[in-house]
Amino acid sequence: MNNEKILHAVLLDEKLMEFGGYTAEDIGNIYQAIDSENYVISTVAQIISRTSEGATEKELWKEINDYLKRNV
């Protein structure tokens, strides 16, 4: 699936991995990533998933903002 490729392309960035404190083994598939306890992995996965579902920028911004307020 294209979402999986995008997820790994983004999350395998060395600087993002360092910032997020995760390894390649922590990523998994899109569903595992959404449920990840690592907020960087989960946030990226949510953005990719919701974008592919047709979420508007406004919807996406609100959802991600709410998620980060609850979890960071």
Side-chain angles (χ1 to χ4, degrees):
M1 180 176 268
N2 219 11
N3 285 352
E4 303 289 331
K5 290 179 183 177
I6 295 169
L7 177 73
H8 285 91
V10 173
L11 289 176
L12 290 175
D13 178 81
E14 288 181 25
K15 290 185 180 184
L16 189 58
M17 291 175 77
E18 184 179 329
F19 173 79
Y22 62 89
T23 66
E25 293 78 32
D26 297 328
I27 300 170
N29 65 41
I30 192 83
Y31 304 106
Q32 292 167 325
I34 289 171
D35 290 336
S36 175
E37 291 183 14
N38 182 292
Y39 69 88
V40 172
I41 294 173
S42 182
T43 300
V44 170
Q46 289 178 63
I47 291 169
I48 293 167
S49 178
R50 291 292 290 132
T51 299
S52 73
E53 294 170 359
T56 65
E57 284 186 35
K58 185 175 182 178
E59 290 171 326
L60 192 54
W61 172 255
K62 183 180 181 336
E63 291 170 17
I64 297 303
N65 194 37
D66 289 346
Y67 168 77
L68 290 172
K69 283 180 182 177
R70 287 190 316 271
N71 293 287
V72 177

